Amino acid sequence: MVEAGISGVQMHYYSVCQRKLWLFSKGITMEQVSDRVMEGKMLHERAYPQLEQKEILIDDTFKIDAFDGEYVREIKISSRMGEADRMQMLYYLYQLKQRGVEKKGLISYTKERDTEVVELTEAGEAKITRAMAEIRRILQRPNPPGLRKLRYCSKCAYYEFCFAMERDEE
């Protein structure tokens, strides 16, 4: 059974910040003003020119950076959000498996010039199905989850949105 309706970006945001997930999913998008997001977009355009297929939309649900032989490749600037990157890749591998395609994942961290291999295991599948259920629960809420200051908030596209009142008090 193919489960749809959740994007890879939503899985990544869930792993980083549930408030960001809720805001993004409700159409409150701040990415268009983020230097970090623009840097990532430029990276995607230039990375791996030898790969023929990049930015592949699957069933109008999720977009994979590239297929590279037996691998799905995801390109990231750095490994700073490694756990969220792995969750996003596991989500892609899970979704592909639901569609009868079994692949391994490669997450390429360009700043570190490092690549991590990710394989979907039974434990990984269980983790993804739990996360998908939690994402659906979060998105049904009438209000965003409460504000929590995390170590990477200052570089987040939503920083000004979330912390506007805090900055006014300084």
Side-chain angles (χ1 to χ4, degrees):
M1 175 177 80
V2 173
E3 295 183 59
I6 295 173
S7 72
V9 171
Q10 287 174 308
M11 183 60 69
H12 196 274
Y13 285 4
Y14 165 77
S15 301
V16 172
C17 174
Q18 294 177 5
R19 181 179 178 88
K20 181 177 184 174
L21 164 69
W22 190 94
L23 292 167
F24 172 81
S25 300
K26 300 301 180 184
I28 302 168
T29 59
M30 308 300 287
E31 290 81 4
Q32 67 274 15
V33 297
S34 168
D35 291 341
R36 184 113 175 126
V37 171
M38 291 309 280
E39 183 181 356
K41 285 183 182 199
M42 289 182 353
L43 170 69
H44 278 90
E45 288 174 13
R46 288 190 240 143
Y48 303 98
Q50 74 276 15
L51 298 177
E52 290 180 27
Q53 282 193 304
K54 295 192 319 189
E55 296 286 324
I56 304 145
L57 183 62
I58 309 291
D59 293 342
D60 290 324
T61 304
F62 60 99
K63 194 181 288 187
I64 291 174
D65 285 354
F67 283 116
D68 190 359
E70 67 181 285
Y71 295 97
V72 171
R73 186 178 290 273
E74 186 69 14
I75 303 159
K76 301 291 185 184
I77 295 170
S78 79
S79 61
R80 186 171 184 184
M81 295 185 190
E83 182 57 30
D85 299 338
R86 283 185 289 284
M87 283 294 286
Q88 184 177 10
M89 179 58 76
L90 286 172
Y91 173 76
Y92 292 151
L93 297 175
Y94 173 84
Q95 287 293 339
L96 288 170
K97 184 177 179 183
Q98 297 297 305
R99 290 161 173 80
V101 178
E102 298 219 18
K103 298 265 186 190
K104 295 177 187 172
L106 290 176
I107 305 172
S108 298
Y109 295 110
T110 57
K111 265 191 183 169
E112 291 107 359
R113 295 183 183 192
D114 192 24
T115 299
E116 180 178 340
V117 177
V118 178
E119 293 188 52
L120 184 63
T121 62
E122 284 185 27
E125 284 188 47
K127 192 174 185 179
I128 291 301
T129 57
R130 283 190 306 273
M132 290 170 63
E134 182 67 9
I135 289 169
R136 287 187 187 96
R137 188 189 67 70
I138 291 166
L139 298 184
Q140 289 176 355
R141 294 176 58 153
N143 299 310
L147 186 59
R148 291 181 17 208
K149 191 140 190 179
L150 305 169
R151 63 183 165 90
Y152 28 75
C153 285
S154 64
K155 294 197 177 192
C156 176
Y158 291 80
Y159 182 79
E160 294 292 329
F161 181 90
C162 290
F163 294 101
M165 296 303 286
E166 185 176 294
R167 293 194 75 194
D168 287 344
E169 294 173 6
E170 290 177 354

